[in-house]
Amino acid sequence: MSTTAELLKGAAELFPDEVVTSAHVRHFELPAAAGRFALITLDNGFDHTKPTTFGPQSLANLNAAIDQVEAEAANGEIVAVGLTGKPFIFAVGADLKGVELLKKHDEALAIGKGGHDVFKRLSALAVPTFAYYNGAAMGGGVEVGLHCTYRTVSKALPAFSLPEVFLGLVPGWGGCAILPNLIGAEKAVSVIIENSLNQNRQLKGKQVFELGIADAIFEGADFLEQSLIWTAGVLNGSVAVERPEVDRGEAWDQAVAKGRAIADSKVHGAAPAAYRALEIIEAAKDGDLQKGFDAEDQALADLIMGGELRSGIYAFNLVQKRAKRPAGAPDKQLARPVTKVGVVGAGLMASQLALLFLRRLEVPVVLTDIDQERVDKGVGYVHAEIEKLLGKGRINQDKANRLKGLVSGVLDKAAGFADADFIIEAVFEEMSVKQKVFAEVEAVAPAHAILATNTSSLSVSEMASKLQHPERVVGFHFFNPVAILPLLEIVRGEQTDDASLATAFGVAKKLKKTAVLTKDAPAFVVNRILTRFMGEIQNVIDEGTSVETAEKAIEPLGLPMSPLVLLELVGPAIGLHVSETLNRAFPERFTVSPNLKAVVEAGKRGFYVYKPENGFKPELDPEVAALLVQGDSVLTEEQVRDRVLDAVAQEIGLMLEEGVVAEAQDIDLCLITGAGWPFHLGGITPYLDREGVSERVNGKRFLAQGVASVPA
């Protein structure tokens, strides 16, 4: 049997680039003469922008610190041991860069075992142990604290989570076994499954305390000092720590069943992590922690060697790293300052854009439209949204007044835009209308002003073609709802110059959007792929397959919603318009569904109705069913799925050949941030590679082996 030290030494050799966390031990006398105390501080030597993680060498350092305090405890030299982090950071878990390098199941098993072997020594010491969650704690950072006897949390703690299921793992260093035994299965399922699958929702310090994960909560300013006074009280008996009894009866089983229902609704059985975590929670009911740890080791190793985790890490890296350095963006030094923004249009989309620019840039924003009533309505919407933020305590009265003072509406473009630096149009999606608007704006805007279009599918170059200065026109395509979806497709027209493009990227960064550069090609990235995807679904329905079969065929992808529910969200009329645009560009691949046309002409908002007596589940609207004209070619779910995925793989292959974006990674980044494509798929290209679709359709993978997959 290998010792923990040997296991970690072997793992450290596989991962030479680890950012190593040290575990400093210092000693002092506790208040109230409670005795000599050892405090271990986790610190990687960097500031809070590089959070502390656990790679193999970091675990070895913690192991060595525990060797020291274990001997001191055995000799009666200390009364307790504490564990805390550097300023603002406790620890954020395993170093995922190391996980990506693992090629064998036994290497993956060693990582799970190594973490358990080190962490569980904290609960085996001869003296009580205390974890002080002073700052951000995630994954293994949360779990190392769970192995301690007691825990305190800072009120200022901004982020606390077990995000493993979100990435395609399970909390594998004690989380699945200890947490339900500490706070009960229902709360544990909420933290491990529900929060993870809700886009990795974070807990704040107060919630950590209310859930019972921490035994005490203190202000951030003197958190460690107060925690040590409390520790002294626990040790000398003046503070009693009481925890409610955990219900190990039916409540436990119900919590696991609820977790399965949540997982089914989010991933439809398409991703294994949530279900593996629930199996461990289910088995932890009898309180046998070691059995739970062994199950965590196995699950961790199996998942590390599976495609889902590699796709999850790939997606995480896209959103965290690639999103911050957009491929093909010009030198940011070329960007011009933006001190005033103009918005052409005052409808819902234009009003949402005005609000976003106002909140993020905090510069004057002026809306225009064709009549005063629309202008007033647009400004009124922005004012009402600011009032909502004030009501929720997100901004104070001064800020609300200032923001309201910065937004205005005028009918006269010359009066509104004469000193604007960035003007965006959000008018009707019709080329002649947009060209007319841009001609009017160019006549009154300053020579340096950027003219941006929020078009979802029209040619930016054609829109700019009749202007004196087409070089300052740029596509700036947001996704609805604007406040929630991070993606912004920045489109370079044929004439767009570098300064205009750099300014657009600078504005996108201030708006806190994920900007991806795209060529001026029909429907750009997301809408082109989704229209091909939806078009193929509609084709099989038109040809004779039932709506139910066509929808169910896509469930194994684990998408956030079914294709026809998505169509409802987008709006059938917009879906039809985009399909018509693409049909004109690529008639051999993009069809215009006569059934979709009939649905739009009948004024229907979608294919479904939602009745309270059926729990608001989508049911085919009888009026829509009566409109459908279908052929007699009926496909199985598998045949539908193959056909849809083949179409998507073909389209992505063609887009990459055309240079619509720099790489397949940008396609995935767009689908994750603009269409809610699941993290566990890594976007779309890793999934198509994993399922063999890429090679079947295009004769090659989109991504090299080892990128979003287990290295060869």
Side-chain angles (χ1 to χ4, degrees), residues 647-683:
V648 170
Q650 182 194 30
E651 204 57 42
I652 293 170
L654 291 165
M655 288 166 72
L656 293 171
E657 274 175 33
E658 289 168 30
V660 175
V661 288
E663 292 181 289
Q665 280 87 334
D666 295 308
I667 300 254
D668 293 320
L669 182 57
C670 283
L671 285 175
I672 291 164
T673 56
W677 215 268
F679 242 71
H680 64 261
L681 297 183

Side-chain angles (χ1 to χ4, degrees), residues 680-693:
H680 64 261
L681 297 183
I684 180 67
T685 68
Y687 180 81
L688 294 171
D689 284 350
R690 203 160 65 231
E691 297 294 311
V693 181

